[in-house]
Amino acid sequence: MLTEKLARVSIAHLPTPLEPLPRLTAQLGGAELWIKRDDQTGLATGGNKARKLEFLVADALAQDADTLISGGAAQSNHARQTAAAAAKIGLACTLVLRSREPAQMRGNLLLDRLLGAEVVWAGDRPLAEGMAQVAEELRAAGRRPYVVPYGGSNPVGASGYVAAMEELVTQCARINCIRARDLHFDHVVLPSSSGGTQAGMAVGARALGYEGHILGISVDLAAGPLQRRLAGLATATADHLGLELAFAAEDFAIEDGYLGGGYGVVGELERTGMHTLARTEGVLLDPVYTGRAFGGLLDMMRRGVFGPGERVLFWHTGGTAGVFGYGEAVL
Ligand SMILES: Cc1ncc(COP(=O)(O)O)c(C=O)c1O
């Protein structure tokens, strides 16, 4: 295993299901669509951060931490999964959330509170500054905080998606063996933001000789800055794993044509993505990440970006709790 030398706690439900989407494939009449269900990883409704937290929490325990600190938007899935991981392991958790307390406590924010996390509002300060200040205050009070970076996206967290790529390869091999078929994916499509998910996948794919084309649909950044971030993170992640692999910005395929009204603004694209998958396959997407990415994928299908003989895997990265944070905006 590529990650076998790293400390890891077992807090995610793995492997996640790998499923075909037959009704949607028939309805669209083009490439064959499949889904990887990382919305089923557990940790208070699931999502991609559970895989990263298996390594981040182990690192926190190795450093004898007693408190996890992290941050994000008010509806951050990462914050909610960090709170759940802390509760499961028996650590305290402080979340620094962007801006000010909203009028209504719902979705991920409601779950943060339910999970026992302390919530601090960053106000006008940048998140990193808010998290550093909270860490300083806790240290001064004799506590031992561990700062989980934004999105869990550093080499420790991204290692979770190196392992995930290995999981996918093993799963395909098993299906091929049991069912005597040739299951492989020409394209893997996922939402990309702080980059740990896609960078980890890229490291895993390169190390394993995986040939599928990985396409990140950007949720908030223009392609150039995201590709540069991914290259730096992937190279550092490979180094963390003792692999001699270097990545350049051009190694990452990013589609930034679906940024719509900006981060967290729900529009027709996101609604179409959410409605389509919910109503043909009974699978829920979130309005910020997977709804946007799946809406983009549907648009690319319509534009004939993927050939009829091809097989496309949508990597569902979770966020279901966010549905309840947006209410009727998703309808
Ligand atoms: C549901 C969901 N999908 C995708 C992402 C993006 O993953 P990454 O930040 O690793 O690029 C996030 C990040 O918060 C998320 O919550």
Side-chain angles (χ1 to χ4, degrees):
M1 263 182 77
L2 295 169
T3 53
E4 70 192 354
K5 293 208 180 89
L6 301 186
R8 179 176 187 173
V9 294
S10 178
I11 51 177
H13 301 161
L14 302 176
T16 56
L18 175 65
E19 299 169 339
L21 295 171
R23 275 179 35 79
L24 185 57
T25 299
Q27 181 176 307
L28 297 176
E32 184 182 318
L33 287 172
W34 283 62
I35 192 165
K36 176 78 171 145
R37 299 293 303 272
D38 276 15
D39 57 321
Q40 304 290 313
T41 54
L43 289 187
T45 74
N48 58 347
K49 305 306 189 257
R51 291 188 187 269
K52 299 181 183 185
L53 284 160
E54 288 209 328
F55 293 91
L56 289 159
V57 168
D59 193 39
L61 293 177
Q63 295 183 29
D64 196 29
D66 63 6
T67 306
L68 298 183
I69 298 176
S70 201
Q75 283 301 327
S76 166
N77 301 299
H78 165 68
R80 178 250 312 159
Q81 292 210 285
T82 303
K88 190 167 171 65
I89 295 295
L91 300 173
C93 180
T94 302
L95 300 173
V96 182
L97 301 182
R98 207 166 268 141
S99 190
R100 289 166 186 81
E101 186 163 7
Q104 284 180 313
M105 171 85 45
R106 49 188 192 177
N108 282 298
L109 180 57
L110 180 74
L111 299 188
D112 297 342
R113 283 276 162 77
L114 189 59
L115 292 160
E118 188 190 338
V119 174
V120 173
W121 294 97
D124 298 324
R125 281 176 304 172
L127 271 187
E129 195 182 305
M131 291 196 284
Q133 190 183 328
V134 168
E136 198 52 51
E137 286 165 7
L138 289 178
R139 262 184 232 109
R143 301 260 294 277
R144 301 182 304 280
Y146 178 93
V147 177
V148 179
Y150 178 69
S153 287
N154 63 5
V156 177
S159 299
Y161 270 88
V162 179
M165 240 9 242
E166 217 163 6
E167 179 182 302
L168 175 68
V169 168
T170 306
Q171 238 168 355
C172 288
R174 189 166 300 142
I175 292 173
N176 288 341
C177 182
I178 296 171
R179 307 234 177 107
R181 56 179 298 177
D182 177 27
L183 180 64
H184 67 273
F185 298 101
D186 301 290
H187 306 270
V188 176
V189 179
L190 73 150
S192 203
S193 177
S194 68
T197 305
Q198 192 173 352
M201 281 183 187
V203 174
R206 177 92 66 87
L208 297 165
Y210 187 78
E211 285 176 357
H213 174 253
I214 300 174
L215 172 64
I217 300 197
S218 179
V219 166
D220 46 5
L221 285 182
L226 181 52
Q227 286 167 309
R228 287 192 287 280
R229 176 188 290 180
L230 289 165
L233 184 52
T235 303
T237 303
D239 187 51
H240 182 63
L241 291 166
L243 300 167
E244 276 185 40
L245 301 173
F247 292 82
E250 311 80 71
D251 293 333
F252 293 89
I254 291 292
E255 173 56 65
D256 66 358
Y258 301 111
L259 299 177
Y263 178 83
V265 178
V266 184
E268 269 322 295
L269 181 94
E270 291 78 19
R271 279 190 282 271
T272 301
M274 294 177 78
H275 293 185
T276 304
L277 195 61
R279 295 169 191 187
T280 52
E281 300 283 354
V283 175
L284 299 176
L285 296 170
D286 84 289
V288 180
Y289 297 93
T290 53
R292 179 163 289 182
F294 199 74
L297 171 56
L298 291 178
D299 181 60
M300 285 190 279
M301 297 275 290
R302 266 189 297 272
R303 292 193 285 116
V305 172
F306 308 114
E310 293 193 301
R311 201 176 280 126
V312 179
L313 176 66
F314 180 72
W315 203 304
H316 190 332
T317 49
T320 311
V323 172
F324 305 101
Y326 280 77
E328 289 177 17
V330 303
L331 294 180

